[in-house]
Amino acid sequence: MSTEDVLHDASTLASYNVLLQVMFRVLTFLLNAFTLRFVSKELIGVVNVRLPLGVLWAVLLVCVWLWFLEVPDAQSVPYYSPAVVLFALGGVQELLAEPLWVLAQAHMFVRLKVVSESLAMIAKCSITVVLVVFARDWGLYIFAAAHCVYTGFLVICYAAYFVRFLGSKEAYMKGFPLQSVRELLPGKTFGEPLIDWTLARLTWSFFKQSFLKQILTEGERYVMTFLNVLSFGDQGVYDIVNNLGSMVARFVFLPIEESFYIFFAKVLERGRDVRSQKQDEMAIAAEVLECLLKLVLVIGLIITVFGYGYSYLALDIYGGSLLSSGTGPSLLRCYSSYVLLLAVNGITECFVFAAMSQKQVDKYNLIMLGLSVSFLLLSYVLTWWAGGVGFILANCLNMGLRILHSVVFIHHYFKSSQWKPLRGLVPSPLLILALGVSAVVTALSEFAFCCSHGWLFRLIHVAVGGVCLCFVLVTVYVTETQLVHFVQTQLLPRYRKKHH
């Protein structure tokens, strides 16, 4: 497969992943807005923060959650114990689908991912709505059952597809490496050693990296759980704000990161420097990296600027005074700035992980270990000092250090070549000016029109933001021509040339 074909497939996967994530987030956005009217914030806090179960440790963590940690009051959070077991069961179910998901990602089975995850999400939302309306007294059973339905649908869809696909004429024409379902199961290949130790060591390195990355990305939840730095109600508000603030990161940045990691992994030869790579493929990879950095930087800056002036309004519309009073708006404003760091880190690490050798991955694991320990300590100290905002500040510091490491790696990687993809992290002066003007105007608009003067003034505030956003987008279109061309030709399906 040529580099252009790999780029085309990665772009297709990214486009459909973005559309899929948009649909997911709209559904969950509406679902959360609906359930907030029926359940307490303490129950939401337990569902989203108290149960970050890792499926590999399901049994152990069930024991920890039931016997070693504080059990919520049965009146405000009913059926806690059986719900913990159901969440663990859902995690094990999802683990069953994971190998098939990885196989589908590696071979860019776009429709399979879209259909299976769409059906699973629709089923989950439907079950949640029905149970919240007609069986509200079930408490945590509602969310646990919905989660099990979601993971069950994923397993069924992926398994049914591969049972039909393997051994078919379509698989043969595509040159698919597996011929039967039996080959998906663990077994010894004739003439090959039982364990490929080179692959095993690389897998172990990535496992350690994933474990540490889990601490870095979800560590605040464990701090909340084991150290009780926030009440259940505050945990619920924090998690709602966290989910709302990360919507763009999840439905735009994450699909792009996943899809283009596949592109970089296929184009780059792991562990070789830039001069040892195929130069025509290296040129395409460098251009793609620069455009991706510029894309996520622009989106992140827009979110940061407009997030400040519209956080209070968004939370008031979404959850009423439950969210807009207290620390909710401050949390969302801080999170808007954190999204910018999330965006840049996702793409830089995407390239770095595809280019690193096993030795470099092991070295990075040590760095991740240090970051994990410092992050957990910072989370505790800053939360004791600033409440929920402390968690976001700790995440910002952690993400900044990870970006610094990745930028240094990319700089050294391309130092001896003519390509400078890190230029993607430098926006045009006119764009910076447009964003600065928009930040001032929207902040003044919030002070003047939002949000205690009725819906007319709220609409005026929204209109001011709309005008400023259009001004910024026009500036992007005029000044960032390379980025605009990349989006039109690679990320928007209607502009993409068809390859057969």
Side-chain angles (χ1 to χ4, degrees), residues 24-39 44 47-48 124-125 128-129 143 239-240 243-244 247 250 318-319 322-323:
F24 282 1
R25 297 310 153 191
V26 169
L27 281 175
T28 52
F29 180 89
L30 295 175
L31 179 64
N32 288 338
F34 173 79
T35 54
L36 279 173
R37 270 68 179 175
F38 290 87
V39 300
I44 295 292
V47 170
N48 292 317
K124 177 181 179 180
C125 291
T128 303
V129 169
F143 300 97
D239 197 76
I240 293 168
N243 287 336
L244 185 61
M247 282 181 66
R250 291 177 179 177
Y318 186 51
L322 176 69
L323 298 181

Side-chain angles (χ1 to χ4, degrees), residues 1-240:
M1 183 181 288
S2 68
T3 304
E4 288 78 8
D5 290 334
V6 174
L7 177 59
H8 168 261
D9 289 344
S11 302
T12 302
L13 183 60
S15 300
Y16 284 108
N17 277 348
V18 168
L19 293 175
L20 180 65
Q21 291 296 325
V22 168
M23 184 191 75
F24 282 1
R25 297 310 153 191
V26 169
L27 281 175
T28 52
F29 180 89
L30 295 175
L31 179 64
N32 288 338
F34 173 79
T35 54
L36 279 173
R37 270 68 179 175
F38 290 87
V39 300
S40 66
K41 63 182 181 181
E42 285 77 16
L43 184 59
I44 295 292
V46 172
V47 170
N48 292 317
V49 181
R50 290 284 291 186
L51 304 175
L53 291 176
V55 293
L56 293 177
W57 305 96
V59 175
L60 173 63
L61 291 182
V62 164
C63 297
V64 170
W65 255 258
L66 293 182
W67 296 325
F68 292 96
L69 297 180
E70 177 190 357
V71 175
D73 177 63
Q75 292 296 113
S76 58
V77 185
Y79 307 113
Y80 175 80
S81 297
V84 169
V85 176
L86 284 178
F87 271 110
L89 175 62
V92 174
Q93 282 188 157
E94 192 166 5
L95 180 62
L96 294 175
E98 194 71 15
L100 301 180
W101 180 89
V102 171
L103 192 60
Q105 280 286 97
H107 292 273
M108 298 183 180
F109 290 172
V110 178
R111 284 185 297 175
L112 172 59
K113 178 181 174 69
V114 171
V115 171
S116 59
E117 296 192 14
S118 298
L119 290 175
M121 181 57 68
I122 291 171
K124 177 181 179 180
C125 291
S126 301
I127 291 293
T128 303
V129 169
V130 169
L131 293 181
V132 164
V133 173
F134 296 105
R136 199 181 312 172
D137 294 338
W138 284 17
L140 279 179
Y141 269 140
I142 297 172
F143 300 97
H147 182 65
C148 287
V149 168
Y150 173 79
T151 57
F153 260 83
L154 284 181
V155 174
I156 292 171
C157 290
Y158 277 100
Y161 179 86
F162 280 103
V163 166
R164 182 198 66 82
F165 177 76
L166 293 177
S168 67
K169 184 178 179 181
E170 180 185 0
Y172 176 78
M173 293 178 64
K174 289 184 175 181
F176 197 74
L178 303 179
Q179 302 300 321
S180 66
V181 176
R182 181 178 298 177
E183 294 182 53
L184 290 171
L185 303 176
K188 185 179 184 299
T189 304
F190 180 76
E192 298 287 340
L194 180 62
I195 298 176
D196 184 336
W197 288 106
T198 301
L199 185 59
R201 284 191 292 268
L202 183 61
T203 303
W204 174 242
S205 296
F206 277 109
F207 171 77
K208 290 185 291 185
Q209 183 187 99
S210 299
F211 178 77
L212 294 172
K213 198 171 182 180
Q214 171 71 10
I215 295 177
L216 289 173
T217 53
E218 301 286 343
E220 73 269 16
R221 296 181 181 233
Y222 297 105
V223 172
M224 287 182 195
T225 298
F226 292 104
L227 300 179
N228 293 320
V229 291
L230 296 177
S231 67
F232 287 126
D234 289 339
Q235 289 182 38
V237 172
Y238 174 86
D239 197 76
I240 293 168

Side-chain angles (χ1 to χ4, degrees), residues 14 21 114 163 173 224 248 264 285 325 348 367 371 398 416 457:
Q21 291 296 325
V114 171
V163 166
M173 293 178 64
M224 287 182 195
V248 175
F264 290 128
S325 61
T348 53
I367 297 174
L371 288 174
N398 158 57
S416 60
F457 287 91

